[in-house]
Amino acid sequence: MPTDLSYGPGAPLESEARLLGSLAGKRVLVLGCTAPDVPVALAEQDAKVVTVEPKLDRLEAAREKTDAAAVRVELHNVDLADLAFVRADTIDVAVAVLSLAEVDDLDRVFRQVHRVLRSQGPLVLSLPHPASALSSGRSWFERSVADVFTSLTRTSFGVDVLLEPVPAPGARLPTMLVVRGRKLGL
């Protein structure tokens, strides 16, 4: 049985959220290996996976996971926005699990993802929820929900899903934010 894609701690699994649809035969771009199981979970669904990761240790962890699972994945040690090697309109789906939390310029990444995605192609991303920053003493405004939404709409993505899953019964604050945007235009 294929590995189920996890969007992060406290977030629904892909089998519950159903944000990606069938991936068999589709080209999927994975932005970052913060969660090294993500490329494996996608490749086990017969997707053609292309992964970019700027940190070599994370890329190696993903390589170990893909080798152990005996799945084929393209792994590239580049910045998340350095997608010049990918032709325009050739990616069916893009996924970023927790990796965009470390990106300063979301617009730059989203512009490149928009360029490589096919029309109406989804970009599904998860981030630590800004509310979770409160318990660690950080500011809510380091990266707000509005920042993510504005960056997506500014780069011609229409947001059609926004999830703030409750991590456990009785929890008072969400810990994860899961968003699906679709490429608008050509």
Side-chain angles (χ1 to χ4, degrees):
M1 185 165 131
T3 305
D4 202 351
L5 175 65
S6 170
Y7 290 109
L13 298 171
E14 172 55 26
S15 62
E16 300 164 330
R18 297 188 301 248
L19 299 174
L20 300 175
S22 174
L23 297 175
K26 292 188 177 174
R27 284 193 81 205
V28 178
L29 174 65
V30 176
L31 298 163
C33 295
T34 307
D37 289 331
V38 170
V40 172
L42 298 169
E44 286 179 343
Q45 295 180 49
D46 297 322
K48 298 171 185 167
V49 181
V50 178
T51 302
V52 294
E53 169 57 56
K55 295 184 178 179
L56 197 53
D57 61 324
R58 288 184 183 168
L59 196 68
E60 288 305 318
R63 186 180 319 280
E64 288 174 16
K65 295 276 187 178
T66 58
D67 288 350
V71 293
R72 187 175 181 162
V73 172
E74 277 185 49
L75 297 166
H76 299 271
N77 185 214
V78 297
D79 185 79
L80 301 184
D82 290 341
L83 302 177
F85 69 95
V86 181
R87 287 188 13 226
D89 305 315
T90 60
I91 298 292
D92 298 297
V93 176
V95 178
V97 175
L98 299 172
S99 57
L100 297 178
E102 300 171 352
V103 172
D104 292 327
D105 189 353
L106 283 179
D107 287 4
R108 180 173 174 249
V109 173
F110 292 160
R111 278 191 304 273
Q112 285 300 307
V113 172
H114 189 277
R115 181 185 68 76
V116 301
L117 270 176
R118 296 182 196 279
S119 184
Q120 292 297 307
L123 163 60
V124 178
L125 61 98
S126 65
L127 294 164
H129 196 285
S132 67
L134 299 176
S135 63
S136 64
R138 295 187 336 255
S139 168
W140 172 283
F141 299 104
E142 285 183 30
R143 165 121 340 121
S144 71
V145 175
D147 292 336
V148 175
F149 183 83
T150 300
S151 287
L152 283 165
T153 56
R154 185 182 299 138
T155 55
S156 298
F157 282 94
V159 175
D160 65 353
V161 175
L162 178 70
L163 302 175
E164 297 175 290
V166 177
R172 297 178 52 97
L173 296 172
T175 57
M176 296 295 301
L177 177 66
V178 181
V179 180
R180 181 177 67 193
R182 291 198 180 273
K183 177 182 176 174
L184 301 176
L186 302 174

